[in-house]
């Protein structure tokens, strides 16, 4: 054999990462005392433990304390005890602690990486080069936010004790995404990792001890769903931050309804990987390897749906198959391994089951001809072609190394296919034409869009989903808001409506119809049920009647709002002009509205005039802000810029209060409109005539049909209908506590963003009842990553 032959015959030898240090750490630790509570290591009070094992061999790694409800109580108590001092510490003091954590993690990077790989099964190249450095970056980045708090978030303070629950796919990184912003904001935390992957969180707790984190500021408890439930339901916790499946996210949304707990949910995904025919196919294939086979596809934002333009489909699929044949499946501690084992046997069985079902439903599933290691929970990379949009592999999150492929003909079809999912976490767009990519990105219903790239993350750039991928963002400025509260000026407690007005059947002819109708799709329409409500003046006389809106009317209003494309697609300057015009036209009829307020509410003429004036001023304010509450550009430590765009939430339902019936309604509708949302408003149940008087003002003001829809009737009932409607994206409810709680609980169908006053109104006349706090709720932040350079 000559040298050349020898060279070609050379095989890569194994290059396993040394695990001695990790084994020594495992041997030395007492995992029976693995609960880190109040700065001490505790055994579970019930004495229970659970097992964590190495997915590459199935071998037991440790028996870890399994926290009981009493242990969660103790952890919350420790966090509550530490809270006053920690939240009162200066930003600089907190920054020093965050920085110390980051530095201490840097000193143990290798141990973290090996432990993560042993416990989770992810290739060491990923834990070493991605998970651990990104986790460290999070702590160091957030040290800065701690110091910038007063200046960048005026009027805000930490929300309090936070309960955090994370999954197993990025154990250390998810921990960092949760703990770093919470500590920066001055919160104290009780965090529960997933039961499959407790190890790096235990090492992290050791780091907290060494880095001088005050006792009780970080509490880390171990356990499964039971411990999670105890955290979610704990009355001593002010915020729940959850990352995990959409199914559990919905359970948590329901469980926290009406509790007043702040909530963020980072859930599952079925992200589209869109390749246009002018894309650089070789780069797209490399992107795809990262998009779907990174961490064996156990990634929330995995590009698990390949949408490829018809003309290049065959060429791309051929390249993908060739590349798949070269993926190295094997020991995750080997630096050359691309694909390690799945986290657990249950996960492997689940993935196999989904692939089998996908094939039964018509998909052709292809795998490279490679041998699997003899032990461990391995699954070959899998490519499914011939996948119909309804196939389970196109719809369900597989959370494994399985790619479903579909083709599209043109841009519109690509967008439609990409959005044909209940999720909305991420998307990836491949085209050499950056104009096309940036045309498509805003039309994708996803919280993160990568142009000619995938799986780019940074602590400065928000990450989070639309729709059933959850709500809230992690990272950056928007992530900080999740751990802060701004004091909004509270108004009166709202009591349930006393059903004084009985429905009246409307006559079909004869007498002149004095009943105010509903306002749907730009037209005044009769309610479907043909019933109306008699509305009394402050003196108990009949002021008029309004239509009694029903489920069917809400349905019509939502469909009008969804169809009103002209409004979200208008420029911010256009929207601003329409809002100015609304203000102008209301001002022309100010006297009439003031008289109506006095007649209905008994307000003095002076107070009534003031409320009308404030309403006009508020319209003016939002007209002015419509083109100013803008996104940002981030410059992450990568050759990319990230455009954090503010996009409308979509169709927003608004249930307005009785107090300040004109100002309250306008204070809610105007910011929603300013940001390009379309609105279905249910005005005050007691004083709806102020809203029906607005119809003409709206009609004169060039508001496109369907941008504002008004359905009068019983607030509690209509709030429920809006909450359950899956085509409503956001819901703002200022009603009695029971109605608010029900709206939150019933919103789980599509996990719409609910903002409720929890039974309290606001002091609508106050300057604080306007501005950014409202606008922020009216937008989704979408981060579009645009790489540059050759
Ligand atoms: P999971 O929802 O089963 O579990 C997540 C965590 O919740 C675990 O710690 C678990 O013990 C706990 N838990 C389970 N039931 C609970 C309950 N009823 N109440 C409270 N806590 C409960 O999810 P998983 O299988 O561990 O993780 C995979 C999921 O996580 C995927 O759907 C994935 O997309 C998602 N994920 C999302 C993101 C994101 O940022 N959007 C990031 C990573 C993972």
């Amino acid at each position: 054999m000559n040298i050349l032959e020898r060279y070609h015959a050379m095989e890569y030898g194994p290059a396993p990462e040394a695990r001695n240090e990790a084994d020594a750490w495992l041997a030395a630790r007492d995992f029976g005392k693995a609960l880190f509570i109040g700065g001490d290591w505790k055994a579970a009070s019930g004495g229970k433990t659970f097992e964590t094992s190495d997915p590459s061999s199935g071998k037991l790694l440790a028996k870890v304390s399994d926290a009981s409800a009493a242990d969660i109580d103790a952890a919350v108590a420790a966090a509550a005890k530490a809270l006053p001092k920690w939240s009162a510490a200066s930003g600089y003091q907190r920054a020093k602690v965050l920085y110390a954590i980051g530095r201490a993690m840097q000193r143990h990077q290798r141990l973290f990486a090996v432990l993560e790989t042993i416990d989770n099964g992810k290739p060491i190249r990923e834990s070493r080069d991605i998970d651990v450095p990104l986790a460290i970056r999070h702590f160091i980045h957030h040290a800065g936010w701690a110091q910038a708090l007063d200046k960048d978030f005026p009027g805000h303070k930490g929300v309090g004790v936070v309960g955090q629950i994370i999954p197993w796919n990025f154990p250390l990184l998810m921990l960092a995404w949760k703990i770093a912003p919470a500590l920066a904001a001055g919160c104290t935390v009780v965090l529960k990792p997933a039961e499959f992957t407790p190890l790096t969180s235990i090492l992290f707790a050791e780091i907290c001890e060494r880095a001088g984190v005050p006792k009780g500021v970080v509490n880390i408890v171990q356990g499964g769903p039971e411990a999670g439930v105890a955290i979610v339901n704990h009355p001593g916790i002010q915020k729940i931050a959850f990352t995990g499946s959409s199914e559990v996210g919905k359970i948590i949304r329901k469980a926290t309804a009406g509790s007043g707990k702040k909530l963020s949910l980072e859930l599952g995904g079925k992200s589209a990987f869109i390749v246009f025919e002018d894309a650089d196919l070789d780069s797209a294939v490399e992107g795809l390897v990262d998009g779907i086979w990174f961490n064996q596809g156990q990634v929330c934002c995995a590009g698990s749906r390949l949408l490829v333009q018809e003309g290049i489909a065959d060429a791309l699929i051929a390249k993908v198959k060739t590349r798949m044949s070269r993926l190295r499946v094997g020991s995750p501690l080997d630096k050359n391994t691309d694909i390690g084992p799945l986290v657990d046997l249950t996960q492997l069985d689940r993935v196999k089951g989904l692939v089998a079902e996908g094939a039964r439903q018509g998909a052709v599933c292809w795998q490279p001809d490679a041998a699997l290691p003899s032990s461990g929970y391995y699954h070959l990379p899998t490519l499914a072609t011939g996948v119909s949009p309804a196939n389970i592999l196109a719809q369900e999150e597989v959370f494994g190394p399985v790619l479903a492929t579909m083709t599209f003909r043109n841009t519109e079809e690509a967008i439609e296919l990409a959005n044909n999912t209940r999720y909305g976490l991420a998307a990836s767009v491949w085209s050499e034409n950056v104009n096309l990519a940036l045309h498509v990105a805003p039309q994708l219903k996803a919280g993160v869009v990568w142009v000619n790239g995938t799986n780019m993350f940074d602590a400065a750039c928000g990450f989070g989903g639309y729709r059933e991928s959850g709500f809230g963002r992690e990272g950056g400025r928007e992530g900080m808001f999740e751990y802060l509260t701004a004091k909004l000026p509270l108004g009166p407690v709202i009591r349930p409506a006393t059903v004084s007005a009985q429905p009246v059947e409307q006559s079909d002819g004869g007498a002149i119809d004095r009943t105010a109708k509903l306002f749907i799709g730009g037209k005044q329409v009769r309610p479907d049920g043909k019933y109306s409500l008699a509305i009394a003046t402050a003196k108990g006389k009949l002021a008029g009647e309004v239509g009694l809106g029903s489920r069917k009317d809400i349905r019509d209003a939502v469909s009008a709002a969804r169809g009103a494309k002209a409004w979200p697609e208008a420029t911010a300057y256009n929207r601003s002009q329409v809002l100015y015009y609304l203000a102008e036209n209301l001002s022309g009829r100010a006297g009439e509205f003031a008289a109506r307020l006095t007649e209905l509410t008994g307000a003095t003429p002076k107070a009534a005039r003031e409320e009308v004036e404030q309403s006009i001023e508020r319209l003016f304010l939002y007209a002015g802000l419509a083109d100013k509450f803008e996104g940002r550009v981030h410059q992450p430590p990568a050759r990319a810029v990230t455009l954090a765009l503010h996009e409308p939430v979509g169709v927003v339902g608004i249930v307005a209060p009785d107090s300040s019936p004109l100002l309250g309604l306008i204070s809610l509708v105007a910011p929603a409109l300013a940001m390009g949302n379309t609105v279905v408003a249910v005005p005050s149940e007691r004083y709806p005539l102020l809203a029906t008087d607005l119809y003409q003002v709206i009609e004169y003001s060039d508001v496109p049909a369907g941008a504002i829809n008004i359905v009068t009737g019983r607030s509690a009932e209509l709030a429920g209908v809006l909450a359950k409607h899956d085509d409503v994206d956001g819901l703002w409810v200022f009603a009695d506590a029971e109605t608010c709680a029900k709206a939150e609980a019933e919103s789980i169908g599509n996990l719409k963003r609910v903002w409720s006053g929890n039974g309290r109104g606001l002091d609508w006349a106050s300057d604080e009842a306007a501005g950014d706090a409202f606008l922020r709720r009216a937008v989704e932040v979408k981060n579009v990553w645009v790489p540059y350079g050759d």
Side-chain angles (χ1 to χ4, degrees):
M1 203 184 255
N2 64 30
I3 289 184
L4 193 63
E5 283 164 345
R6 227 172 242 285
Y7 175 76
H8 285 301
M10 238 162 39
E11 249 304 336
Y12 286 104
E17 184 76 14
R19 53 178 289 167
N20 325 13
E21 204 192 335
D23 284 336
W25 183 83
L26 283 167
R29 260 225 79 86
D30 177 2
F31 289 99
K33 283 190 179 167
L35 309 182
F36 186 65
I37 297 177
D40 293 327
W41 292 97
K42 303 239 162 85
S45 62
K48 274 186 15 186
T49 56
F50 65 93
E51 296 185 349
T52 185
S53 56
D54 177 346
S56 70
S57 64
K59 283 196 190 131
L60 178 71
L61 290 168
K63 290 187 181 179
V64 181
S65 322
D66 190 349
S68 67
D71 298 319
I72 303 300
D73 273 347
V76 175
K81 191 169 164 214
L83 182 67
K85 210 164 163 198
W86 181 247
S87 59
S90 72
Y92 175 46
Q93 282 168 321
R94 288 205 298 271
K96 279 195 291 187
V97 170
L98 281 156
Y99 182 69
I101 294 175
R103 292 289 288 136
M105 288 173 78
Q106 268 170 344
R107 286 193 290 275
H108 295 84
Q109 278 200 60
R110 198 45 71 99
L111 178 57
F112 269 117
V114 175
L115 274 181
E116 196 76 310
T117 285
I118 292 177
D119 206 11
N120 166 281
K122 59 176 66 208
I124 186 72
R125 230 179 38 220
E126 295 177 8
S127 44
R128 183 195 63 194
D129 299 347
I130 298 169
D131 295 43
V132 177
L134 263 177
I136 293 168
R137 157 107 177 114
H138 241 77
F139 282 99
I140 292 178
H141 176 80
H142 281 86
W145 281 123
Q147 270 186 289
L149 217 54
D150 293 345
K151 188 179 123 303
D152 279 67
F153 303 91
H156 286 74
K157 65 180 187 54
V159 61
V161 174
V162 181
Q164 305 180 314
I165 300 170
I166 56 173
W168 44 259
N169 58 343
F170 291 90
L172 184 68
L173 188 58
M174 293 299 105
L175 172 151
W177 284 19
K178 293 275 178 287
I179 294 186
L183 296 198
C187 300
T188 56
V189 308
V190 175
L191 175 129
K192 188 196 84 63
E195 54 277 32
F196 289 142
T197 50
L199 297 186
T200 46
S201 72
I202 295 172
L203 177 60
F204 177 82
E206 289 181 4
I207 293 281
C208 288
E209 282 185 302
R210 276 177 240 157
V213 179
K215 286 177 191 281
V217 168
V218 173
N219 303 277
I220 298 184
V221 291
Q222 306 294 342
E226 252 175 70
V229 169
I231 291 175
V232 167
N233 295 331
H234 204 290
I237 285 178
Q238 282 81 47
K239 177 195 159 89
I240 298 290
F242 173 77
T243 298
S245 59
S246 296
E247 191 191 343
V248 175
K250 288 183 180 191
I251 295 172
I252 292 177
R253 165 70 288 187
K254 208 163 174 182
T256 52
S259 67
K261 282 182 186 140
K262 206 172 154 88
L263 179 65
S264 50
L265 298 175
E266 301 286 349
L267 310 177
K270 192 76 204 174
S271 301
F273 189 102
I274 310 169
V275 186
F276 285 96
E277 59 194 3
D278 66 349
D280 171 348
L281 293 196
D282 292 321
S283 300
V285 170
E286 285 316 303
L288 202 51
V289 168
D290 192 23
I292 180 64
W293 291 299
F294 174 53
N295 200 14
Q296 293 73 249
Q298 303 166 123
V299 182
C300 52
C301 52
S304 53
R305 286 185 302 148
L306 168 63
L307 311 182
V308 50
Q309 197 153 12
E310 245 170 34
I312 52 156
D314 290 345
L316 184 72
I317 298 292
K319 279 178 186 283
V320 172
K321 284 185 174 169
T322 307
R323 184 69 179 85
M324 282 172 77
S325 306
R326 298 205 184 109
L327 290 172
R328 298 173 69 97
V329 183
S331 163
L333 280 174
D334 184 332
K335 288 170 199 161
N336 298 317
T337 289
D338 297 305
I339 301 206
L342 303 190
V343 73
D344 188 72
L345 187 58
T346 50
Q347 183 65 10
L348 178 62
D349 288 343
R350 185 172 172 273
V351 173
K352 282 183 178 166
L354 282 165
V355 170
E357 180 56 23
R360 206 189 56 76
Q361 293 181 7
V364 178
C365 295
W366 181 89
Q367 294 177 334
D369 186 15
L372 290 180
S374 53
S375 65
Y377 313 130
Y378 291 89
H379 191 286
L380 283 175
T382 304
L383 175 72
T385 49
V387 178
S388 70
N391 189 293
I392 196 162
L393 295 178
Q395 291 298 331
E396 283 303 311
E397 185 183 40
V398 177
F399 228 56
V402 181
L403 177 65
T405 310
M406 282 170 278
T407 59
F408 64 85
R409 282 167 297 187
N410 53 37
T411 308
E412 290 66 41
E413 206 172 272
I415 294 166
E416 203 183 307
L417 269 177
N419 289 337
N420 179 22
T421 164
R422 60 198 172 98
Y423 296 109
L425 194 51
S428 186
V429 182
W430 293 77
S431 165
E432 287 299 279
N433 178 354
V434 76
N435 295 345
L436 172 66
L438 292 181
H439 166 71
V440 170
Q443 299 185 65
L444 298 173
K445 293 274 169 237
V448 183
V449 179
W450 295 292
V451 171
N452 292 328
T454 188
N455 281 342
M456 290 182 261
F457 311 101
D458 184 53
C461 307
F463 181 88
Y466 285 30
R467 306 184 184 175
E468 291 182 46
S469 291
F471 43 75
R473 294 288 181 266
E474 295 194 300
R477 165 178 293 273
E478 53 267 37
M480 283 301 295
F481 278 116
E482 301 296 333
Y483 290 94
L484 295 167
T485 48
K487 258 219 156 343
L488 284 174
L490 283 184
V493 170
I494 305 177
R495 313 229 167 271
T498 45
V499 187
S500 50
Q502 292 304 319
V504 183
E505 190 159 3
Q506 291 184 5
S507 62
D508 256 346
I512 298 169
D513 184 3
R514 286 176 42 245
T515 304
K517 299 190 170 89
L518 314 179
F519 190 69
I520 296 179
K523 294 200 193 77
Q524 299 191 31
V525 295
R526 275 169 175 263
D528 181 65
K530 305 278 188 299
Y531 279 94
S532 58
L533 280 180
I535 302 303
T537 67
K539 296 192 172 131
K541 302 244 165 61
L542 180 70
E545 287 172 19
V546 294
L548 180 67
S550 64
R551 172 184 303 271
K552 168 78 169 52
D553 299 309
I554 291 283
R555 236 170 39 209
D556 291 346
V558 171
S559 115
R562 177 63 66 201
K565 298 270 185 277
W567 188 251
E569 286 171 10
T571 64
Y573 179 44
N574 278 156
R575 293 200 296 268
S576 148
Q577 282 171 301
V578 170
L579 289 171
Y580 275 128
Y581 202 23
L582 264 173
E584 200 182 303
N585 287 331
L586 180 58
S587 149
R589 292 177 55 183
E592 213 179 294
F593 273 86
R596 184 65 115 176
L597 266 168
T598 300
E599 179 200 15
L600 294 177
T601 66
T604 64
K606 181 165 171 282
R609 265 199 315 277
E610 258 172 34
E611 182 171 341
V612 177
E613 268 318 309
Q614 282 162 343
S615 304
I616 298 165
E617 188 183 329
R618 205 138 282 177
L619 276 170
F620 236 69
L621 173 76
Y622 288 112
L625 293 179
D627 58 1
K628 294 176 191 63
F629 189 70
E630 294 179 306
R632 287 172 180 246
V633 178
H634 299 301
Q635 293 167 279
R639 288 166 67 77
V641 286
T642 312
L643 316 174
L645 305 176
H646 281 180
E647 292 192 343
V649 170
V651 174
V652 175
I654 289 177
V655 180
D658 287 338
S659 63
S660 308
L662 181 65
L663 181 60
L665 177 68
I666 285 181
S667 298
L668 293 166
V669 170
L673 287 176
M675 293 296 101
N677 298 284
T678 54
V679 168
V680 176
V682 175
S684 153
E685 181 171 330
R686 262 174 85 191
Y687 310 119
L689 292 171
L690 285 156
T692 61
D693 289 351
L694 278 176
Y695 296 171
Q696 282 180 348
V697 178
I698 298 168
E699 280 165 347
Y700 297 151
S701 304
D702 296 340
V703 179
I708 311 178
N709 305 276
I710 298 177
V711 180
T712 50
R714 307 269 191 229
S715 300
E717 182 189 328
L718 299 179
V721 179
L722 282 167
K724 282 190 207 141
H725 198 305
D726 282 351
D727 210 22
V728 172
D729 304 296
L731 179 58
W732 300 356
V733 191
F734 285 86
D736 62 280
E738 193 188 331
T739 302
C740 290
K742 264 182 91 178
E744 287 181 349
E746 290 176 347
S747 68
I748 57 169
N750 65 341
L751 279 174
K752 55 181 66 66
R753 287 87 181 99
V754 182
W755 174 26
S756 102
N758 276 312
R760 294 291 291 265
L762 294 182
D763 171 5
W764 300 102
S766 154
D767 284 346
E768 279 83 55
D772 285 8
F774 287 66
L775 293 170
R776 204 169 312 113
R777 291 179 161 94
V779 295
E780 294 269 18
V781 184
K782 171 186 279 178
N783 278 277
V784 180
W785 287 72
V786 187
Y788 52 77
D790 268 340

